[in-house]
Amino acid sequence: MPTSPSPHQTVWARTRVDHGCFLLYDPPACHQDDDLRLWQDDDYRRMLVCTPSGVVARSAVTDIRYASVSLEVYDAEPVFAAEWAHDAMECDFALGDSLELQLQNIMGDNVATVWLGRRGAWRLRAHRRSPEHPGAVDHQEEWLFQLWPRPESPAGPGDEAMEVRLCRVLSSSRR
């Protein structure tokens, strides 16, 4: 089995889950992002709603109030975290206006900031673990976000390659 690179940064946080979701996004770009939508019918049951500047993370539990979140930043793609529950998705986003992502609840409270250190296209893999999972902490929903730069992505602001987006549910064969 391949070994995973170690994250060069890990941020842990606990966030409120308001209206069933929270945000992880590039703050300056989000204010100009017309694609940041929270509740569209085709997205409602997906765990992530991907936008050009980040993601909206959707809870699997309707009455959940808090979620534990781990954010890991890598230089290259990490090995899939098989110990996590069956919910997993990947998406790409562009970091064009800042060098960081903010974890924020819908009410606007900035919960945590993760420093990525370079602009360009990034890949984000999200794992979600149910509060009913035997390893769940304090019966909270748990999230693991793994982030790494897309190798083909230029690092400068305003690069056209940042338009490319991917958002997909990971199949069970990947795990």
Side-chain angles (χ1 to χ4, degrees):
M1 173 172 238
T3 59
S4 183
S6 296
H8 62 79
Q9 180 183 179
T10 302
V11 175
W12 293 277
R14 183 172 180 249
T15 186
R16 282 179 46 133
V17 179
D18 297 304
H19 304 288
C21 59
F22 59 92
L23 307 171
L24 184 62
Y25 67 100
D26 177 11
C30 183
H31 297 298
Q32 303 158 2
D33 187 357
D34 293 334
D35 201 19
L36 182 61
R37 60 218 188 304
L38 303 182
W39 294 281
Q40 285 201 0
D41 293 343
D42 58 338
D43 296 321
Y44 192 75
R45 288 183 270 293
R46 291 192 350 210
M47 68 183 272
L48 292 180
V49 177
C50 303
T51 76
S53 59
V55 296
V56 179
R58 306 270 322 148
S59 175
V61 183
T62 56
D63 62 348
I64 195 82
R65 299 306 307 153
Y66 289 93
S68 295
V69 179
S70 295
L71 303 156
E72 298 177 345
V73 182
Y74 294 84
D75 293 323
E77 180 177 0
V79 171
F80 190 87
E83 68 274 10
W84 281 77
H86 66 278
D87 286 340
M89 282 185 78
E90 280 186 1
C91 69
D92 291 343
F93 67 93
L95 196 61
D97 293 324
S98 71
L99 301 175
E100 64 188 28
L101 288 178
Q102 286 188 359
L103 174 66
Q104 189 177 83
N105 62 35
I106 296 299
M107 304 312 282
D109 301 322
N110 183 25
V111 177
T113 300
V114 61
W115 179 259
L116 298 181
R118 71 179 281 264
R119 292 178 176 87
W122 285 78
R123 172 108 354 115
L124 176 144
R125 181 183 301 143
H127 302 269
R128 179 178 63 190
R129 188 160 42 200
S130 163
E132 286 80 34
H133 188 274
V137 178
D138 296 329
H139 303 289
Q140 295 181 43
E141 189 167 74
E142 295 175 295
W143 288 78
L144 169 63
F145 292 100
Q146 298 172 310
L147 302 121
W148 65 96
R150 281 194 5 218
E152 70 278 9
S153 170
D159 293 308
E160 303 307 319
M162 293 192 302
E163 290 297 316
V164 177
R165 276 193 305 180
L166 161 82
C167 190
R168 64 188 172 104
V169 176
L170 297 178
S171 69
S172 58
S173 64
R174 176 94 190 253
R175 296 174 215 154

